[in-house]
Amino acid sequence: VEVAERIGYPVLVRPSYVLGGRAMRVCFEADEVRSAMAATTGRVLIDRFVENAVEIDVDALCDGHDTYVAAVMQHVEEAGVHSGDSSCVLPR
């Protein structure tokens, strides 16, 4: 709670050992942080959650000299959804 209040709400709380959003929680107040912490063991990462952000993936290949961008994909879902389970759109 001390860290969350120092960096400012909302915060994203997640166990440090997970990948791709498993067990992530967006917390808007101290009671939500306490609840998230009670459900977690071990180290936890707490980050400032950026609201109304856009998440994109860029797939590119590089041979050390030339870089080719194959796709720019925008994620459609909320933060915390594993990329393997996510929905993306390819802008024209």
Side-chain angles (χ1 to χ4, degrees), residues 28-44:
F28 293 88
E29 58 185 38
D31 287 340
E32 293 174 341
V33 173
R34 287 185 193 97
S35 176
M37 297 299 292
T40 303
T41 59
R43 294 182 178 193
V44 174

Side-chain angles (χ1 to χ4, degrees), residues 9-90:
Y9 290 99
V11 294
L12 186 65
V13 178
R14 71 177 180 92
S16 65
Y17 57 85
V18 299
L19 298 174
R22 187 168 156 244
M24 282 184 165
R25 291 185 55 184
V26 178
C27 301
F28 293 88
E29 58 185 38
D31 287 340
E32 293 174 341
V33 173
R34 287 185 193 97
S35 176
M37 297 299 292
T40 303
T41 59
R43 294 182 178 193
V44 174
L45 298 175
I46 301 176
D47 295 308
R48 178 93 164 88
F49 181 74
V50 180
E51 294 183 279
N52 301 315
V54 174
E55 180 180 0
I56 62 169
D57 285 332
V58 178
D59 289 347
L61 299 169
C62 181
D63 62 6
H65 179 67
D66 294 316
T67 302
Y68 299 92
V69 176
V72 177
M73 299 172 284
Q74 179 179 343
H75 284 256
V76 178
E77 71 287 325
E78 296 284 327
V81 174
H82 187 278
S83 59
D85 299 325
S86 67
S87 299
C88 294
V89 292
L90 296 168

